[in-house]
Amino acid sequence: MSLINIIDFPVLGDGRGALVALEANHHIPFEIKRVYYIYGTAQGLARGFHAHKELKQVAICLKGSCRFVMDDGKGKQEVILASPDKGLLIDAMQWHEMYDFSENCVLMVLASDIYDEDDYIRDYQNFLQEIKKC
Ligand code: T46
């Protein structure tokens, strides 16, 4: 089973440039309750290192590039996000780590719920224990 689920968004391009429109429950497979974005990332530093118990997310690299490592407790797979017309689905109970942010990277994330620290599993051993119960 692939841990990398990329959603290709339709690009409505014309002579003036490109336009991508994302609709909840259509292009994005959930109701969007929160949008956040990451930019100005320190060079050489990684982020993530957690899984979410319930939250579903789609990550879109609007500018530049970054690398995601996705982990289901049995295996790991990597993907580079470098295009604003592609979204990476980060499902619940997928451990994820983000590396190699380019200097100009702008990473936008659409999330199925508002921020809740209790939904995070930030300890990898705890994640491995929880995944066995799924
Ligand atoms: C994820 C990956 C892809 C908030 O207060 N509200 C928010 O909506 C978010 C996303 C974060 N925060 C606070 C929590 C921390 O004190 O901002 C701080 C940095 O968050 P964190 O260390 O979790 O950042 P990342 O880049 O490691 O992870 C983020 C998301 O938190 C996470 O849900 O899946 O991006």
Side-chain angles (χ1 to χ4, degrees):
M1 191 189 74
S2 178
L3 304 178
I4 309 297
N5 292 305
I6 294 288
I7 306 170
D8 286 305
F9 305 131
V11 179
L12 309 171
D14 58 27
R16 298 168 297 171
L19 187 155
V20 174
L22 302 177
E23 295 180 4
N25 297 316
H26 182 194
H27 310 94
I28 304 299
F30 48 76
E31 202 65 53
I32 300 161
K33 293 209 181 147
R34 177 168 52 115
V35 177
Y36 61 90
Y37 40 92
I38 294 167
Y39 64 99
T41 44
Q43 291 303 288
L45 291 190
R47 306 186 65 112
F49 297 90
H50 59 253
H52 286 282
K53 296 175 192 165
E54 305 281 348
L55 192 73
K56 291 176 185 296
Q57 304 186 95
V58 172
I60 305 159
C61 197
L62 295 179
K63 197 171 181 194
S65 62
C66 66
R67 185 163 57 92
F68 270 75
V69 175
M70 308 300 290
D71 179 343
D72 66 355
K74 297 182 195 111
K76 297 179 191 213
Q77 288 176 17
E78 289 188 14
V79 64
I80 292 173
L81 291 189
S83 174
D85 64 0
K86 293 191 189 315
L88 172 67
L89 179 64
I90 307 170
D91 218 334
M93 295 309 285
Q94 273 194 311
W95 185 267
H96 50 285
E97 302 170 3
M98 297 107 84
Y99 296 92
D100 297 342
F101 289 89
S102 65
E103 211 172 310
N104 60 345
C105 182
V106 180
L107 180 69
M108 181 176 74
V109 183
L110 311 178
S112 64
D113 212 342
I114 58 169
Y115 175 72
D116 176 9
E117 186 58 37
D118 289 342
D119 186 65
Y120 285 72
I121 303 174
R122 293 191 184 269
D123 177 82
Y124 190 69
Q125 293 308 317
N126 185 8
F127 166 69
L128 292 179
Q129 286 179 350
E130 289 300 316
I131 204 94
K132 279 186 200 155
K133 299 179 193 166
C134 294

